[in-house]
Amino acid sequence: MLSLEEGWKWPALALFLFLVTFGSVGLLSLGYVICILIGGMVMTFYHGRQLSQSALQMELPDLPRSKPGVLTVVNKMESSPKGKNFDRRMTGASVIDEALHEVLTYAIRDYIKSWYRQVSDHDGFVLDIRQCVQKLTITFASRTKDVDWMPFFSQRLVDDFASHLRLYRRARDDATVPPTDELYQEQVQSAFFDLEVAMEKDKCRDLVCLDPEAEKQYLQNLSEVLLFLLLPPDDFPNKTFRYILREVLVNGIFIPTIELLSDPDYLNQYIAWLCKDGSFTNESFLTVIKSSHLVGELEAVKEITEQNIAKWRSRDTGGADDAVIKQKLNSLLFVKNICEGRIRRIQEGSLDDIEEAPDICRAKNIFVLSLDEIIENNIALAVFIEFMTNVCGQQYLFFYLNVEGFRTAAGQQILDAQQRAMNGMSTEADLESLRRAAMIIYDQYLSDKASSRIKLESDIVKRTLQKIKNKNIAEDLFDEAQSKVYQILHSEQYYEAFLQSNVYLKMLQEMGLSKPDKPEDGDTSSLDEVPRIIWFRMEDSSEETSLPRSRSDSPVTTDTAITAFISQTGMMKESDKNSGKTYAVFAVRATKTSGDEEEVSETYRRYSDFHDLHMLIQEKFPDFQCPPLPGKTIVKNMNKDFLEKRKKSLNTYLMNLMKQEVWIKYPGMKELVLKFVAPGLWEKHKSELARKMDTIVNPIRSSVKTVGRAVSTDSLVDGLGKVFKSDSNDRRALDSGKVADGLDGDADNIPLRVMLLLMDEVYDLREKNTWLRRRIVAVLKQLIKVTFGDSINKKIVDYVEFMTSAEQMAEYVRKFRDSFWPAGSLAEPRVQRDVHTKMRTRVLCKAKMLGSVSDDFRHLMGTDTIRIGTSRMFDMFQHQKLNKRFVYVFLEGVIITLFPQNKFPELFTRLHSRSDRVVNHIAKMKEKNADSAESGARKRRR
């Protein structure tokens, strides 16, 4: 064995001999061999790495692991807890949790994994997000369970909507350009947010509504606060994790949802879907296109009308249906002419002149209301009060109404006093209160120092004063003076001048007593088909069946055919016991055909009989889409044209009830209808619904009696004349704040409060005189009572609880899931609808909103008032920026309700106080306060 010290000598000797033998050539050869070996190893390494990468990308399953240790490390890195081991409970209600888990799975798939898979395949981060969102939902659900939503829905939300409508109404009034001007929308928006500052004092939402960057920043700040309150304490400090959640919340949920809810076209579609199909009537449709100020709406209606005209002309080839097709063509041409005429007037700028000259001015025969009918009707009386005020004769009318009220109240009070006297009780206090009330009327209208003195003979005034001072006071003490005032009201100066004024003509139009427009051929029987023809495109297989049948084509069976129609109208007079009252009747002719035999009978029915049948059908067949029945009239109208129009409407109604398919679908309908058309008296069934409606309609027709109730309960001692006055300064002061601040209704009556809040702003109820407003409030109270009973508040509470129940919340989540992820896939961006389709949707929505108002409510408020108020509310929804403002108001209200212990009102004030409008408003207020202080200091020095 060689030692280690000698071992190196031999390799050195071999190297020396190699160099001596081969020289430099041998050295170069040795270098070449070494380089070849190294190059081969490098090429093998790089080629193997490329094969491994391509195999991994192709997910080849047969690649062997190089070492067992590497496999162990990989298994440890890929191991992670499985989701199935997690607690999947979120809200405590399994029906909600299932839908929420589906939404969460879809959201993570489309908003997290879509970008995270490009960074890493590790599932731990995704599962952490899922756990965090689950904890967030648990915290949110526990908070919602402790919230009482009733005050929010019945008070705050309604007040916010009514206040929003008030701001819009005032902003429209402040606009200096007409609605057809391009600058109109910009002016309304600017005035709206200026008024919001004046109402809110220290905040304005103009930035979040008008500036997209400011809106995004606002939502990010709000999301940060919500995540702080809802996230677990260990997760919130993680900025990366928190920012990802915030951006998903803002860009994936808040902004798309707010944009959708504020889109006018989406709101128009949704409102049209909410309204019943029967609300789209001929009258509402024609009213909308006649009052439209937008050329685009009229062009859209004109376009589809022309398409339908071409379609029906292609069928005008003669035959059995030739007359029906010509009627439809005439109706469509009539609508086209209206659109063209309205477009022409808009382009010429002559709309104002048209509005001031109603169609009734061109009528030959004008319906004449007697003075008694004017006084007994809400709408007519309100117009007459306005006319009398303009001619400085309102004190005569107010005196007459106050006396009428005094008589009603005094008669009841004297009767009660007599009954107490029979029981040995004192009646001096009651009689003295009547005497004070009578003296109030005397001091206000008859005394020499009266503020609203009326001119009567001095003898009448003296005799009236003696009757008041008489020990035995009577309810007829003002009769002589009232009779004289009635003569003055009926004179040429007042009543006859009122009949010849333009306001009377407009009043007739508002009450529905003016002549309707007609097609050129005078036949309006097919006008009711116009809305359906225009909006519902019919397939070839169903077009023929949709045509209305003529009388000879009524539904038949193989054995027996039964037809019925109204053949004529007539007038009848009751017996003397009812003072010979005259009313209209309609002759219903029924024909029963069996083989070659034909049996014809005729019976007479009043409108009230048809109304009773209609109520009975609604009660017995609630699922039946009952055809519209022509509405009741406020006063009796025996005009020939009116009766003919009503005859055609009732005939259409009856023909719809006589359809064979209706009898088959609704068992019992046939027997009821045949009993109605059979000879003999129709026994009034007075269904439950009819009895309720009677209690509402009857008070509307007897307003004078209500004057007595209003006077006796509201102002006997405080001044009767005040009932018929309204203070514009009070109105202006109320307009500067929120709607609920000036509400004087019963706060404990939830539906009354809601209806008053909305009616005050939608229909300008506060603009009415105080008496009329109280009259309407009284009718609303009665309507609510007879419709829902005394337990209405409990029913509303039960309904709110039902709408916030677990089942309904699960349904909301499922609808949200199906909207955003139909069939489990992320919904495609909404296809933009063409302009004409949007415009037709506007007309459809507006007509349905107008047609949804009941006839009784129209009679109470007035047709023109309903049209203007409905149009105002519809126009408000067409401003996307303003819609967005209300969505934010709603969102903030929900957050404040959910977190009452946190200072969210202060936070929202701070976020919205960044607006320049708020800064300028505060600066002006400081300047105003400084001027006031300086003025006060100067006065003190003096």
Side-chain angles (χ1 to χ4, degrees):
M1 295 293 294
L2 295 175
S3 63
L4 293 175
E5 296 178 355
E6 297 178 352
W8 62 272
K9 295 180 179 180
W10 293 102
L13 179 62
L15 178 62
F16 176 76
L17 293 175
F18 179 80
L19 292 175
V20 171
T21 304
F22 298 101
S24 60
V25 175
L27 183 63
L28 291 174
S29 299
L30 180 63
Y32 287 152
V33 173
I34 294 173
C35 289
I36 289 172
L37 292 175
I38 294 174
M41 294 175 64
V42 171
M43 291 297 295
T44 301
F45 172 76
Y46 278 103
H47 182 66
R49 190 175 68 171
Q50 290 178 356
L51 289 177
S52 300
Q53 289 177 350
S54 61
L56 290 174
Q57 291 177 358
M58 295 174 62
E59 297 181 355
L60 295 177
D62 55 348
L63 288 178
R65 305 288 192 204
S66 59
K67 295 291 183 179
V70 175
L71 182 61
T72 303
V73 173
V74 170
N75 288 335
K76 287 183 175 294
M77 293 178 62
E78 291 183 350
S79 62
S80 60
K82 302 299 180 181
K84 64 181 181 180
N85 297 327
F86 294 159
D87 186 358
R88 297 175 61 86
R89 290 177 297 180
M90 300 175 71
T91 63
S94 59
V95 64
I96 303 178
D97 292 347
E98 293 176 1
L100 280 177
H101 276 293
E102 291 185 9
V103 171
L104 184 57
T105 300
Y106 294 150
I108 291 177
R109 181 195 66 189
D110 295 325
Y111 294 108
I112 302 295
K113 289 185 178 181
S114 59
W115 59 266
Y116 179 72
R117 286 306 183 197
Q118 302 177 10
V119 179
S120 173
D121 293 332
H122 186 49
D123 290 334
F125 176 74
V126 176
L127 293 174
D128 288 341
I129 287 184
R130 191 180 190 96
Q131 278 186 300
C132 182
V133 174
Q134 184 172 338
K135 294 177 182 178
L136 186 148
T137 306
I138 293 173
T139 306
F140 181 80
S142 62
R143 284 184 176 270
T144 57
K145 291 177 182 178
D146 299 331
V147 174
D148 182 12
W149 291 104
M150 196 63 223
F152 174 75
F153 286 109
S154 63
Q155 298 179 18
R156 184 187 184 103
L157 181 59
V158 180
D159 181 32
D160 287 340
F161 180 78
S163 299
H164 184 82
L165 184 57
R166 169 178 290 183
L167 292 176
Y168 175 73
R169 176 175 55 80
R170 294 187 60 201
R172 284 210 331 174
D173 296 340
D174 292 344
T176 58
V177 297
T180 54
D181 197 289
E182 295 180 355
L183 298 176
Y184 175 76
Q185 189 170 18
E186 182 179 347
Q187 281 194 1
V188 170
Q189 290 180 1
S190 178
F192 183 94
F193 290 111
D194 290 340
L195 292 168
E196 184 187 19
V197 175
M199 183 182 72
E200 299 285 0
K201 308 300 182 186
D202 52 3
K203 58 184 174 182
C204 181
R205 299 175 180 85
D206 56 344
L207 290 180
V208 298
C209 298
L210 303 177
D211 186 357
E213 290 299 325
E215 178 185 15
K216 187 174 182 179
Q217 182 64 43
Y218 167 80
L219 290 174
Q220 288 175 343
N221 294 334
L222 181 59
S223 299
E224 287 272 0
V225 177
L226 292 176
L227 291 176
F228 174 77
L229 294 173
L230 297 175
L231 280 178
D234 296 337
D235 294 331
F236 184 79
N238 189 335
K239 289 187 177 180
T240 304
F241 179 73
R242 187 173 77 244
Y243 289 164
I244 291 175
L245 281 183
R246 184 192 69 183
E247 293 305 312
V248 170
L249 193 64
V250 172
N251 297 294
I253 297 179
F254 277 150
I255 291 180
T257 303
I258 292 172
E259 290 293 332
L260 178 66
L261 295 179
S262 59
D263 182 18
D265 186 50
Y266 173 79
L267 291 176
N268 292 339
Q269 296 178 65
Y270 187 69
I271 294 173
W273 175 78
L274 285 178
C275 298
K276 296 180 179 180
D277 293 336
S279 60
F280 190 41
T281 62
N282 167 42
E283 290 78 12
S284 62
F285 169 66
L286 293 180
T287 300
V288 167
I289 61 176
K290 287 179 182 179
S291 59
S292 175
H293 289 79
L294 202 60
V295 174
E297 291 181 352
L298 300 169
E299 290 285 0
V301 175
K302 178 185 173 185
E303 179 193 45
I304 197 169
T305 303
E306 290 175 341
Q307 293 176 5
N308 282 277
I309 288 175
K311 181 188 299 183
W312 287 104
R313 277 179 174 167
S314 65
R315 297 171 173 228
D316 189 11
T317 57
D321 296 326
D322 183 61
V324 176
I325 294 176
K326 288 186 180 297
Q327 284 184 352
K328 294 183 182 298
L329 285 173
N330 289 333
S331 300
L332 291 170
L333 290 171
F334 175 65
V335 173
K336 179 184 175 182
N337 293 335
I338 292 179
C339 294
E340 291 177 344
R342 187 70 181 175
I343 293 173
R344 184 171 57 254
R345 290 195 293 271
I346 292 175
Q347 294 173 344
E348 294 173 354
S350 58
L351 285 180
D352 293 338
D353 296 336
I354 296 299
E355 293 297 330
E356 291 178 1
D359 296 335
I360 189 62
C361 293
R362 302 187 295 272
K364 296 181 179 180
N365 299 320
I366 297 177
F367 193 87
V368 178
L369 293 175
S370 66
L371 181 58
D372 291 334
E373 289 174 329
I374 292 173
I375 294 176
E376 291 176 0
N377 180 265
N378 282 332
I379 302 173
L381 180 58
V383 176
F384 192 45
I385 289 175
E386 181 181 357
F387 172 81
M388 293 293 290
T389 303
N390 292 334
V391 297
C392 300
Q394 71 274 17
Q395 64 272 17
Y396 291 101
L397 181 57
F398 291 163
F399 172 79
Y400 180 89
L401 295 174
N402 277 322
V403 169
E404 195 66 30
F406 174 84
R407 180 188 295 107
T408 304
Q412 182 63 40
Q413 197 159 347
I414 291 175
L415 181 61
D416 295 340
Q418 291 175 352
Q419 293 178 351
R420 282 194 293 271
M422 294 175 61
N423 296 329
M425 301 173 62
S426 176
T427 60
E428 294 182 2
D430 297 330
L431 297 180
E432 189 61 30
S433 65
L434 284 179
R435 201 181 312 278
R436 287 199 306 270
M439 283 303 300
I440 290 174
I441 298 178
Y442 179 85
D443 292 338
Q444 189 168 357
Y445 296 104
L446 299 178
S447 68
D448 295 335
K449 299 180 181 180
S451 58
S452 303
R453 190 169 184 269
I454 60 177
K455 297 179 180 180
L456 295 179
E457 290 84 347
S458 58
D459 294 341
I460 297 177
V461 176
K462 290 179 180 179
R463 286 193 292 270
T464 302
L465 182 58
Q466 290 176 358
K467 293 179 181 178
I468 295 175
K469 295 180 178 180
N470 194 343
K471 181 178 181 180
N472 296 324
I473 190 171
E475 68 269 19
D476 60 351
L477 57 90
F478 287 107
D479 281 7
E480 185 179 7
Q482 187 188 31
S483 177
K484 184 62 178 180
V485 168
Y486 184 86
Q487 295 177 11
I488 296 174
L489 290 173
H490 210 288
S491 63
E492 295 181 1
Q493 185 179 1
Y494 298 123
Y495 170 67
E496 295 185 10
F498 176 64
L499 295 181
Q500 300 175 13
S501 64
N502 288 331
V503 293
Y504 178 76
L505 300 175
K506 290 183 179 181
M507 182 199 72
L508 291 180
Q509 197 173 36
E510 186 171 357
M511 296 171 65
L513 299 178
S514 59
K515 278 190 175 182
D517 291 335
K518 296 183 179 181
E520 293 179 358
D521 63 351
D523 187 1
T524 61
S525 59
S526 60
L527 276 178
D528 292 332
E529 294 289 323
V530 169
R532 184 181 61 80
I533 293 173
I534 290 180
W535 255 265
F536 301 101
R537 295 181 175 273
M538 299 171 290
E539 300 294 337
D540 291 338
S541 60
S542 62
E543 283 177 342
E544 295 298 332
T545 58
S546 65
L547 295 175
R549 301 181 179 89
S550 61
R551 291 167 185 168
S552 59
D553 297 329
S554 297
V556 296
T557 62
T558 57
D559 298 330
T560 304
I562 302 176
T563 61
F565 66 94
I566 301 176
S567 59
Q568 59 181 336
T569 61
M571 308 292 296
M572 296 191 69
K573 194 172 185 179
E574 293 183 347
S575 59
D576 294 338
K577 64 178 181 180
N578 289 322
S579 302
K581 186 169 63 174
T582 304
Y583 57 89
V585 293
F586 302 89
V588 179
R589 178 172 295 178
T591 304
K592 182 178 180 181
T593 306
S594 180
D596 296 334
E597 298 181 359
E598 183 176 272
E599 180 182 349
V600 180
S601 62
E602 192 168 81
T603 186
Y604 295 94
R605 297 284 182 251
R606 299 178 61 173
Y607 171 82
S608 59
D609 299 329
F610 280 92
H611 186 266
D612 185 72
L613 174 66
H614 184 73
M615 295 293 101
L616 197 59
I617 290 175
Q618 285 186 325
E619 183 177 332
K620 289 189 174 184
F621 309 99
D623 297 333
F624 175 55
Q625 293 291 334
C626 198
L629 183 73
K632 291 183 176 181
T633 57
I634 316 171
V635 296
K636 289 186 178 180
N637 191 344
M638 300 302 176
N639 184 276
K640 182 179 178 181
D641 293 336
F642 172 80
L643 293 179
E644 188 64 24
K645 177 184 177 182
R646 170 151 288 188
K647 169 193 166 185
K648 291 179 178 179
S649 300
L650 292 176
N651 215 1
T652 302
Y653 176 81
L654 184 61
M655 295 293 289
N656 285 323
L657 295 181
M658 294 292 295
K659 291 181 178 179
Q660 188 76 20
E661 55 267 26
V662 174
W663 293 352
I664 296 174
K665 186 175 181 180
Y666 299 97
M669 177 78 75
K670 177 179 179 180
E671 291 75 13
L672 183 62
V673 175
L674 292 183
K675 183 179 179 181
F676 180 80
V677 300
L681 293 176
W682 171 256
E683 181 182 355
K684 294 289 180 65
H685 294 78
K686 298 299 288 185
S687 64
E688 183 66 22
L689 182 57
R691 286 194 294 270
K692 291 179 179 180
M693 295 306 298
D694 284 344
T695 59
I696 299 170
V697 175
N698 289 338
I700 298 177
R701 294 177 175 173
S702 56
S703 302
V704 173
K705 295 181 180 179
T706 308
V707 175
R709 287 192 290 271
V711 170
S712 62
T713 57
D714 296 328
S715 55
L716 258 177
V717 181
D718 296 333
L720 296 172
K722 295 180 181 179
V723 177
F724 299 97
K725 297 181 180 179
S726 61
D727 193 344
S728 59
N729 295 328
D730 294 340
R731 168 71 176 177
R732 196 176 300 110
L734 288 172
D735 269 352
S736 63
K738 286 198 170 184
V739 175
D741 296 339
L743 186 67
D744 55 0
D746 186 1
D748 294 331
N749 193 323
I750 296 174
L752 179 64
R753 184 183 189 279
V754 171
M755 295 183 74
L756 284 180
L757 279 173
L758 296 180
M759 287 180 59
D760 275 346
E761 299 308 318
V762 176
Y763 301 115
D764 277 343
L765 192 57
R766 292 189 182 277
E767 292 288 353
K768 309 291 184 182
N769 58 75
T770 309
W771 170 82
L772 183 58
R773 187 177 189 275
R774 293 180 180 180
R775 173 74 193 108
I776 295 173
V777 171
V779 173
L780 286 177
K781 287 182 178 179
Q782 196 168 12
L783 182 147
I784 293 169
K785 183 175 181 180
V786 301
T787 306
F788 303 105
D790 296 331
S791 59
I792 175 61
N793 283 2
K794 183 180 182 302
K795 292 181 180 179
I796 293 179
V797 172
D798 294 341
Y799 181 74
V800 172
E801 290 179 353
F802 167 74
M803 296 301 294
T804 56
S805 63
E807 292 75 12
Q808 286 299 112
M809 296 304 297
E811 184 65 23
Y812 302 150
V813 176
R814 284 192 289 266
K815 288 182 178 179
F816 175 81
R817 176 201 62 194
D818 296 338
S819 299
F820 278 79
W821 293 279
S825 302
L826 186 63
E828 297 292 333
R830 288 196 307 147
V831 179
Q832 288 293 330
R833 307 200 309 162
D834 63 274
V835 177
H836 276 198
T837 302
K838 291 182 179 180
M839 289 298 172
R840 286 197 296 271
T841 306
R842 283 172 56 101
V843 176
L844 174 66
C845 176
K846 197 187 305 185
K848 280 198 166 187
M849 290 175 63
L850 187 61
S852 298
V853 182
S854 66
D855 291 329
D856 296 306
F857 196 64
R858 290 175 189 272
H859 296 163
L860 178 64
M861 298 296 299
T863 303
D864 201 49
T865 302
I866 295 296
R867 180 187 63 81
I868 294 173
T870 305
S871 177
R872 181 190 297 120
M873 185 163 63
F874 169 82
D875 291 341
M876 181 185 68
F877 292 133
Q878 309 314 306
H879 296 263
Q880 184 168 10
K881 305 300 182 183
L882 305 188
N883 294 339
K884 185 176 292 186
R885 184 259 178 193
F886 181 72
V887 173
Y888 278 113
V889 170
F890 174 78
L891 176 63
E892 293 167 5
V894 171
I895 293 175
I896 292 174
T897 305
L898 282 173
F899 303 95
Q901 304 301 327
N902 303 98
K903 298 181 180 180
F904 271 103
E906 291 81 356
L907 174 64
F908 292 135
T909 300
R910 187 180 307 171
L911 292 175
H912 293 309
S913 62
R914 302 171 182 175
S915 170
D916 293 337
R917 285 183 168 89
V918 176
V919 175
N920 296 334
H921 178 74
I922 294 176
K924 290 180 180 178
M925 294 302 297
K926 289 182 178 179
E927 182 180 355
K928 183 178 179 180
N929 293 336
D931 293 341
S932 301
E934 183 179 354
S935 176
R938 285 198 301 266
K939 290 181 179 180
R940 286 192 297 270
R941 286 194 298 268
R942 293 176 184 175

